[in-house]
Amino acid sequence: MKIVLQRVTEAELWVNDTKHCSIGTGMLILLGIHKEDQEEDINWLVKKISSIRIFSDTEGKMNLDLMQINGEIMVVSQFTLFASTKKGNRPGFTDSARPDQALQLYDEFCVKLANETGIVIKRGVFGADMKIKLINDGPVTIIIDSKNKE
């Protein structure tokens, strides 16, 4: 699994010109699911996300986690995170999980993240054409890959 985690002051997700969900201060997580991902990838990422300290303390240092600031979370499935651009100019997506597998792992990820953090997870609409409006705070954008545990 690969995520793009953005620290936001607000984010809105729109589907068919209708606002589907929104969050205030917190994390917008774009979640890419690889065809070889399993439950251990979910567990590792959930632990990492729930404890990552990317929010500023009173001295302006990134020293606080999401629960310490009473933040919110939005998770959006993003199969294009596993795009291959090796050949030609049109990306290939053969490394992305098939939709049935991806939906199952996406749901499991959201449930486990909610259980770990105690936060209601706002979700995108799996497989839909979505528009996201956000204010990236910082900007802070972090890429985390469950296969490359750095």
Side-chain angles (χ1 to χ4, degrees):
M1 290 183 163
K2 187 182 295 185
I3 65 166
V4 174
L5 186 155
Q6 295 179 298
R7 185 178 78 180
V8 299
T9 55
E10 64 183 68
E12 297 178 344
L13 186 135
W14 295 71
V15 179
N16 298 325
D17 297 322
T18 303
K19 183 164 47 168
H20 175 72
C21 63
S22 63
I23 61 170
T25 299
M27 295 177 181
L28 169 63
I29 298 171
L30 305 177
L31 173 67
I33 301 171
H34 190 274
K35 63 185 178 185
E36 295 177 2
D37 283 336
Q38 298 176 18
E39 188 172 357
E40 67 187 49
D41 296 286
I42 293 171
N43 295 338
W44 185 84
L45 269 178
V46 163
K47 290 287 187 195
K48 181 60 79 175
I49 292 165
S50 64
S51 60
I52 196 165
R53 298 182 311 169
I54 61 167
F55 297 94
S56 299
D57 62 16
T58 55
E59 296 177 10
K61 293 183 180 180
M62 285 197 286
N63 222 3
L64 304 175
D65 65 33
L66 190 66
M67 283 75 69
Q68 290 172 302
I69 63 142
N70 295 314
E72 297 182 88
I73 303 172
M74 181 185 295
V75 178
V76 179
S77 178
Q78 185 81 42
F79 77 94
T80 60
L81 289 179
F82 284 104
S84 173
T85 57
K86 273 184 153 180
K87 296 166 86 176
N89 294 319
R90 183 172 173 225
F93 302 103
T94 57
D95 285 340
S96 298
R98 300 198 42 82
D100 56 336
Q101 175 195 13
L103 178 57
Q104 177 187 352
L105 293 174
Y106 172 70
D107 285 340
E108 189 175 337
F109 174 85
C110 290
V111 167
K112 287 188 175 197
L113 187 57
N115 289 340
E116 183 73 22
T117 62
I119 298 170
V120 174
I121 307 297
K122 305 289 180 73
R123 299 184 188 199
V125 178
F126 188 88
D129 182 25
M130 297 171 273
K131 309 293 184 236
I132 301 172
K133 296 179 182 181
L134 67 113
I135 298 177
N136 190 321
D137 183 22
V140 174
T141 301
I142 299 170
I143 299 169
I144 304 172
D145 189 330
S146 66
K147 302 294 191 222
N148 185 17
K149 296 174 175 69
E150 292 184 352

